[in-house]
Amino acid sequence: MQKMTTRDTSRSVLISGASIAGPVLAYWLNRYGFDVTLVERAPAVRSGGYPIDIRGTAFDVVERMGLLKAVQAAHIDSRTLTFVNAEGKSLATISPHDLAANEERDVELPRGTLTTLFYDLTQGGTVRYSFNDSIETLEEGSTGVEVGFKSGKRGRYDVVLGADGLHSNTRQLVFGPEEPFRRDLGFTFSGFSMPNNLGLSHGAIIYSEAGRTALALAVGESLELSVMLAYATEKTESGMRLSPQEQIERTADVFRSGGWEVPRMVEALRRADDLYFDTVSQIRMPRWSKGRVALVGDSAYAPSFFTGQGTSIAIVGAYVLAGELASHENPADAFAAYERITRPFVEANQDLPFRKGGTSLILRTQEELDGRSRMFASLMKGDVPKKDNDYVRQVHNSLLLPHYER
Ligand SMILES: Cc1cc2nc3c(=O)[nH]c(=O)nc-3n(C[C@H](O)[C@H](O)[C@H](O)COP(=O)(O)OP(=O)(O)OC[C@H]3O[C@@H](n4cnc5c(N)ncnc54)[C@H](O)[C@@H]3O)c2cc1C
């Protein structure tokens, strides 16, 4: 068990990004007596979004934050995962519970509900939020970091922490362009909402062909569907950043002549006011800190949604980073300890999609689709892949959470 050895109320921390990792960091740092400011590019904490999971070790962090009951109350309890053919006929219906490796320590809730819970927990204390702003310059001196903001404001902080996601601004400023750190997994997705004209509730419907997948998901009895259209990309185009209009046209082109509800989904994509798109990518960095700046969550180690673990490792990383900052006078020592404790857990989770036999919702070849169909057939016969689940569960829980309370 690690003990907090110092408590220096004068230490100031700037966090870039107020989604998952940012507010978790802010909560713990505030609790340890730091002076915390968050800067967020968006006008408010983003409330919408797809369902995310809290699993394994992250479950313990949420419990230590006193939020376990609240997140469990928000559990969306998806009951069915139905795979359909081009005519919409069911090929297989399975229970997500059969695929879950971690049943007792796994909560799935809308991302916006979780970000709001974390944000609310940091209210009423001394944590300051600065929305509609972003770091523009960082200059490190021997005793702190001078920060210039887009708004024209300036500030000086003992430590700066980047929790600003896959395309991290902090990483770009301190470590340079993202390309050397980004590992593209060869797919691009568009996520958006459309009216629930399928009468779907408590589950998802998936239509896959080799290289393209359409997915519709209903949270509970929602009148809106969360839709994802994902497609395989060539190596040369993978990682290319398209404009929203280019992405819409590219997606419409790839899904031309798609079966099931695809034509209606493409129409909805054109009208969507909440379109979110990106490549499916990981971030892999040899080091997560430089001087007085450290990265956490997707900015340092995005695992991609193929793992379903992005939120959980962001929560765990934020908890450990805050605790180590509270335990060390010197930021470099704190960052080294954070990395030593967290890296094996992070990398084991990032490696999950590359394991032999690992399956994904979005598949590239007919051979992979056939392999998935065989897995469903055995699942429907009650043959749950126990050995695989045991391994995944062990990875989700593979960090023994330190205690930092005095
Ligand atoms: C489609 C999809 C499905 C997913 N499904 C799952 C799932 O099932 N389970 C799961 O665990 N994870 C899932 N994830 C991953 C999960 O959303 C992320 O891993 C998690 O949100 C990481 O949190 P974070 O705080 O590190 O980064 P983010 O949530 O990306 O937050 C970054 C924050 O930084 C802000 N920001 C960005 N740039 C700047 C800037 N220049 N200045 C200031 N602020 C800035 C952003 O506005 C944002 O608020 C999914 C992701 C996607 C895209």
Side-chain angles (χ1 to χ4, degrees):
M1 183 187 285
Q2 296 211 357
K3 291 267 183 222
M4 200 163 89
T5 51
T6 60
R7 194 181 184 94
D8 182 349
T9 50
S10 68
R11 287 211 276 170
S12 58
V13 178
L14 174 68
I15 301 168
S16 173
S19 170
I20 305 283
V24 174
L25 262 175
Y27 168 79
W28 287 103
L29 287 171
N30 182 56
R31 196 158 143 176
Y32 300 140
F34 287 81
D35 178 44
V36 183
T37 305
L38 280 104
V39 59
E40 165 60 52
R41 185 177 58 180
V45 168
R46 294 195 192 158
S47 58
Y50 42 86
I52 49 90
D53 299 278
I54 301 173
R55 299 197 190 95
T57 307
F59 208 80
D60 300 327
V61 177
V62 168
E63 188 166 25
R64 289 183 193 183
M65 294 172 81
L67 283 178
L68 195 53
K69 278 216 169 88
V71 298
Q72 283 174 327
H75 181 45
I76 64 173
D77 191 22
S78 291
R79 294 169 197 162
T80 55
L81 211 52
T82 300
F83 292 81
V84 295
N85 66 11
E87 286 73 47
K89 186 167 164 287
S90 169
L91 300 171
T93 296
I94 57 174
S95 161
H97 300 278
D98 289 342
L99 293 178
N102 241 321
E103 278 266 44
E104 320 79 58
R105 285 159 62 79
D106 186 342
V107 182
E108 188 181 22
L109 72 167
R111 181 191 148 109
T113 307
L114 184 62
T115 52
T116 304
L117 282 171
F118 285 151
Y119 174 70
D120 288 350
L121 204 64
T122 58
Q123 300 302 296
T126 55
V127 175
R128 284 180 296 275
Y129 282 82
S130 177
F131 289 105
N132 278 318
D133 206 356
S134 181
I135 299 174
E136 194 165 59
T137 58
L138 288 167
E139 275 165 53
E140 185 166 336
S142 56
T143 58
V145 190
E146 282 289 324
V147 180
F149 295 92
K150 287 235 160 71
S151 59
K153 289 185 204 147
R154 296 194 68 79
R156 188 205 152 281
Y157 304 88
D158 293 317
V159 168
V160 175
L161 306 175
D164 38 15
L166 181 64
H167 305 295
S168 169
N169 177 47
T170 313
R171 185 180 60 234
Q172 166 84 29
L173 289 168
V174 176
F175 294 89
E178 130 182 342
E179 277 65 30
F181 306 120
R182 199 185 63 229
R183 181 166 172 179
D184 290 318
L185 304 193
F187 296 90
T188 292
F189 68 89
S190 295
F192 53 96
S193 308
M194 67 180 269
N196 186 351
N197 52 11
L198 301 179
L200 182 62
S201 72
H202 294 279
I205 303 181
I206 295 154
Y207 167 61
S208 295
E209 295 171 16
R212 55 182 191 174
T213 288
L215 178 151
L217 177 135
V219 172
E221 310 281 336
S222 174
L223 299 175
E224 291 246 291
L225 294 172
S226 293
V227 175
M228 185 193 284
L229 295 174
Y231 57 89
T233 46
E234 297 307 321
K235 245 202 147 74
T236 45
E237 75 177 313
S238 184
M240 250 171 34
R241 306 296 310 275
L242 301 178
S243 70
Q245 200 49 44
E246 287 168 333
Q247 172 70 9
I248 290 169
E249 294 312 326
R250 177 89 179 94
T251 307
D253 190 40
V254 171
F255 281 86
R256 200 167 10 101
S257 77
W260 183 48
E261 290 289 317
V262 166
R264 266 176 294 279
M265 289 174 160
V266 171
E267 266 174 48
L269 163 71
R270 292 188 184 284
R271 288 196 302 269
D273 58 8
D274 61 350
L275 171 63
Y276 177 65
F277 66 93
D278 211 331
T279 54
V280 180
S281 309
Q282 295 193 333
I283 295 294
R284 302 257 186 169
M285 302 182 74
R287 288 202 55 192
W288 301 335
S289 68
K290 201 184 243 182
R292 292 176 169 270
V293 181
L295 305 176
V296 64
D298 271 10
S299 70
Y301 35 76
S304 87
F305 70 83
F306 283 1
T307 67
Q309 280 292 94
T311 303
S312 291
I313 64 178
I315 290 171
V316 171
Y319 171 85
V320 174
L321 177 53
E324 294 304 326
L325 277 165
S327 308
H328 294 89
E329 203 64 68
N330 180 354
D333 295 338
F335 296 159
Y338 153 61
E339 190 153 341
R340 184 173 41 73
I341 293 167
T342 319
R343 190 176 273 279
F345 169 70
V346 160
E347 290 184 350
N349 279 283
Q350 288 189 308
D351 287 343
L352 284 175
F354 308 109
R355 292 182 67 233
K356 192 168 171 296
T359 53
S360 157
L361 292 180
I362 309 166
L363 298 169
R364 190 174 274 274
T365 64
Q366 189 55 44
E367 200 187 344
E368 288 171 333
L369 282 172
D370 292 344
R372 187 173 75 181
S373 302
R374 282 194 295 277
M375 185 194 81
F376 292 152
S378 50
L379 261 183
M380 287 195 297
K381 275 193 258 148
D383 185 8
V384 176
K386 188 168 174 331
K387 197 162 142 265
D388 224 45
N389 278 357
D390 286 348
Y391 177 77
V392 174
R393 181 184 314 112
Q394 186 233 316
V395 169
H396 291 170
N397 289 280
S398 59
L399 193 153
L400 191 60
L401 213 54
H403 277 276
Y404 296 105
E405 310 293 348
R406 283 209 285 193

